[in-house]
Amino acid sequence: MGIPEALTTLLAEFPYAVYGSILVGVLCAVLGVLVVARRVVFFGAVLTQVSLLGIALTFIPPLDLLGHTGGALSVTALAALLLSGWLTDRRVPRDAVLGVVFVASVAVRMLVLQKAPQVEAAEVENLMRGDILFVTPGLFLFTLLLSAVAFALMALFARPFTFLAFDPETAEAQGYRTRRWDRAFYILTALVVAATTHLVGDLFVFGFLVVPPVAGMLLARRVRGIVTVAALMGLLCPVAGLVLAFILDVPATPAIVAVALVCLSGAWAVARLRR
Amino acid sequence: MEPLVEFAGVTLGYGRTAVLRDLSFGIAQGDYFGLVGPNGAGKTTIVRAILGTLIPQAGEIRFRPLGNGTVRIGYVPQRDSVNLVLPYTVGEVMLMGRYRDLGLLRRPRAEDLRAAEQALDHVGLSGVRGHPLRELSGGQRQRVLIARALASRPELLILDEPTNGMDLSSKSAILDLIARLHEEDRLTIVMVSHLLDDVANSVRTIAIVDREFFRAGEVRAVLTAETLSALYHMEVRVESVGGSTVIIPGRARGDS
């Protein structure tokens, strides 16, 4: 099967998979520029695991009333709220705090799933991996709405977010309440990660929070250039990955991330040649 | 003359722990004020109190309002404290100095761009607006951070360790620039440093800070061998060489 034919089939059979993965790709890639710049990449990884814990908890009554999306969103938002306080505590290193939350999320999730009633292994596997191909219209619309809100907030708060990432001391001296803005950034990131992890899985979300921004940093000499490169990768890599997965009959998420990594390798080679 | 900033019986600290107790001193308008002391002595704590980011546990910090009813403070952080992961251009960094006036959404006006341009020109860097900050030398980066503070049109300029880690020529150039801002622009300057020689030969008044030790006044009265020996727990000599004050450390007390 050729690429045009595969793409046509994908758009006809799984339109929300294509649109959803593009949406998540662009959103995570753009947000990821700030995540990488603030040196909180591990925070993104931890949030994906917390989000999975939130989904796992909804297998237990009465938390099942929240639904998988509600569980992921509420647990991740709560974790981000707590983490934003713990991460500014200087007695314990930031990565150690994140490490503890990471381990706790994975361990509790495994225990919960082991003991949860009426859980089938295949269902759990799909939820944890993110079943891109079977994204429902409702879930897609929810993510679209959340993406619009997230992009609007990123644009509205661009000044405090970038100032605090660049020079928090002076930002505070200028009257920005750094703790409050840090908390806002962490919660925004948490909500995006929670909603998108449920849609496309932890590997996709964490991959696109990191890989496109790093490629942008290798290729571009201006911040706008970095954001543009990251957004373009967020737009194109999911489509290319889905097509590849369809043609080669391999799982979609690893294929999408693999395409992003190939692009990153290309960016690295170009950066080396330029030097 | 009423000071521009006055500490009246101020105790500063974090949580329930007091770091500095019962500080009383003033910074006069037009002064060039040095804040010196060993690392961890509490210099940054005093700066944070002046900036309003640390509320005193006791006492009061009074500001004498100037033109528009407040004291506008420009702050220059240690240049190594800025995060250079993203390649912000000098122009973008300069506009951050105007964010206080711009708020969240207002587009920079001609006045903001002009203030940024003039400030860059003032520190001798008018040609680098489009360059990424991280590609400049340490001395140039420091000048940009000073220019960004100037772009907010401050009446009081606070510089945190502005010459730390610089070679001799860059250090001399930065100290000359600060002296020029003080003498020609009549800015009130507070320079924080642990480099005694830099401060001794630049400022008019000085405060020596340590947790259990605080003295403020004219440089000659405060920066004496006795005071410094007591502060650093070692023999220290203060001498004049070619018109400049030189601090000469001796043997640490307790060394054989």
Side-chain angles (χ1 to χ4, degrees):
Chain A
M1 185 185 284
I3 292 173
E5 197 184 346
L7 188 58
T8 310
T9 311
L10 270 170
L11 283 169
E13 300 290 328
F14 306 103
Y16 294 109
V18 179
Y19 304 142
S21 55
I22 288 174
L23 192 62
V24 176
V26 175
L27 180 61
C28 289
V30 173
L31 181 65
V33 174
L34 273 176
V35 169
V36 174
R38 290 173 71 113
R39 298 190 172 104
V40 289
V41 167
F42 195 31
F43 178 71
V46 170
L47 285 182
T48 56
Q49 297 312 307
V50 173
S51 171
L52 293 181
L53 170 64
I55 295 171
L57 285 171
T58 57
F59 284 103
I60 298 177
L63 294 174
D64 56 341
L65 296 174
L66 287 171
H68 297 317
T69 307
L73 282 173
S74 46
V75 171
T76 314
L78 180 67
L81 202 62
L82 294 173
L83 274 171
S84 61
W86 295 339
L87 292 177
T88 50
D89 187 333
R90 291 184 182 171
R91 287 170 298 183
V92 183
R94 182 188 282 190
D95 53 351
V97 172
L98 291 172
V100 169
V101 176
F102 181 90
V103 167
S105 302
V106 175
V108 174
R109 187 182 82 216
M110 291 168 83
L111 291 173
V112 165
L113 290 176
Q114 189 66 37
K115 290 292 176 189
Q118 298 170 335
V119 178
E120 284 182 21
E123 188 185 358
V124 173
E125 179 73 8
N126 278 343
L127 276 169
M128 299 297 142
R129 212 177 51 196
D131 205 349
I132 299 180
L133 292 181
F134 296 99
V135 171
T136 61
L139 199 52
F140 172 75
L141 282 176
F142 171 76
T143 312
L144 183 66
L145 188 69
L146 181 120
S147 302
V149 172
F151 276 122
L153 290 176
M154 277 194 274
L156 182 65
F157 300 149
R159 280 181 186 150
F161 282 170
T162 53
F163 202 178
L164 260 73
F166 173 72
D167 182 3
E169 254 183 74
T170 308
E172 194 169 10
Q174 280 204 15
Y176 287 99
R177 297 187 176 209
T178 48
R179 281 193 175 208
R180 198 175 285 181
W181 284 112
D182 273 346
R183 191 160 288 182
F185 175 75
Y186 288 136
I187 290 173
L188 174 67
T189 308
L191 292 178
V192 168
V193 168
T196 55
T197 300
H198 180 36
L199 192 80
V200 296
D202 57 341
L203 179 65
F204 186 122
V205 173
F206 183 52
F208 276 76
L209 279 176
V210 181
V211 178
V214 172
M217 285 170 184
L218 288 169
L219 287 177
R221 284 191 69 225
R222 298 283 186 274
V223 177
R224 278 184 191 169
I226 292 172
V227 175
T228 306
V229 170
L232 279 173
M233 277 182 69
L235 181 80
L236 299 174
C237 291
V239 180
L242 281 170
V243 169
L244 192 71
F246 200 70
I247 292 172
L248 300 179
D249 192 22
V250 290
T253 302
I256 291 170
V257 175
V259 169
L261 287 169
V262 169
C263 292
L264 176 62
S265 308
W268 179 77
V270 171
R272 290 272 304 179
L273 284 173
R274 269 196 205 149
R275 236 192 271 166
Chain B
M1 188 181 184
E2 196 184 335
L4 185 65
V5 183
E6 184 179 14
F7 278 56
V10 171
T11 296
L12 299 169
Y14 301 92
R16 289 179 185 171
T17 312
V19 175
L20 297 163
R21 291 172 198 279
D22 200 24
L23 302 177
S24 292
F25 68 97
I27 301 168
Q29 187 185 345
D31 199 358
Y32 189 166
F33 188 91
L35 199 53
V36 298
N39 291 328
K43 304 185 292 288
T44 303
T45 303
I46 293 179
V47 167
R48 293 191 64 199
I50 298 173
L51 291 170
T53 58
L54 182 68
I55 307 298
Q57 293 176 337
E60 192 185 355
I61 302 171
R62 301 186 196 112
F63 292 87
R64 184 159 62 88
L66 296 173
N68 57 358
T70 56
V71 176
R72 283 182 75 93
I73 302 176
Y75 176 65
V76 183
Q78 294 189 30
R79 76 181 184 290
D80 293 336
S81 73
V82 299
N83 177 353
L84 298 174
V85 171
L86 291 181
Y88 288 109
T89 64
V90 170
E92 287 166 335
V93 172
M94 290 300 298
L95 275 180
M96 291 178 189
R98 304 288 297 178
Y99 278 2
R100 182 164 35 192
D101 298 322
L102 288 172
L104 285 179
L105 283 177
R106 205 165 66 202
R107 290 177 69 84
R109 299 154 298 186
E111 180 197 336
D112 300 302
L113 299 172
R114 198 168 48 243
E117 201 61 54
Q118 282 172 350
L120 262 185
D121 205 26
H122 207 53
V123 301
L125 283 178
S126 49
V128 300
R129 207 165 67 87
H131 291 243
L133 182 73
R134 69 184 186 189
E135 290 179 12
L136 302 184
S137 70
Q140 286 176 317
R141 250 182 252 163
Q142 189 67 61
R143 281 169 181 270
V144 171
L145 295 178
I146 292 174
R148 182 184 63 175
L150 294 177
S152 67
R153 308 237 192 260
E155 288 131 358
L156 170 63
L157 184 66
I158 300 177
L159 304 105
D160 193 358
E161 304 277 5
T163 56
N164 202 13
M166 280 187 180
D167 61 45
L168 197 61
S169 64
S170 303
K171 182 195 285 191
S172 170
I174 290 295
L175 289 174
D176 283 348
L177 170 64
I178 299 168
R180 191 157 56 81
L181 294 173
H182 171 242
E183 285 159 16
E184 295 175 11
D185 301 339
R186 300 188 182 285
L187 268 176
T188 307
I189 308 268
V190 173
M191 179 163 79
V192 179
S193 182
H194 68 281
L195 304 170
L196 286 171
D197 290 328
D198 287 1
V199 180
N201 293 296
S202 307
V203 305
R204 263 205 326 228
T205 50
I206 195 167
I208 296 183
V209 190
D210 203 359
R211 296 208 170 202
E212 300 300 325
F213 188 101
F214 184 85
R215 195 162 296 171
E218 293 287 325
V219 175
R220 277 189 191 173
V222 174
L223 215 58
T224 63
E226 269 182 346
T227 311
L228 294 178
S229 297
L231 179 69
Y232 290 99
H233 308 291
M234 64 189 297
E235 286 172 23
V236 178
R237 286 188 293 146
V238 180
E239 301 205 347
S240 180
V241 178
S244 293
T245 303
V246 181
I247 316 288
I248 304 167
R251 214 170 42 198
R253 284 177 191 160
D255 281 5
S256 56

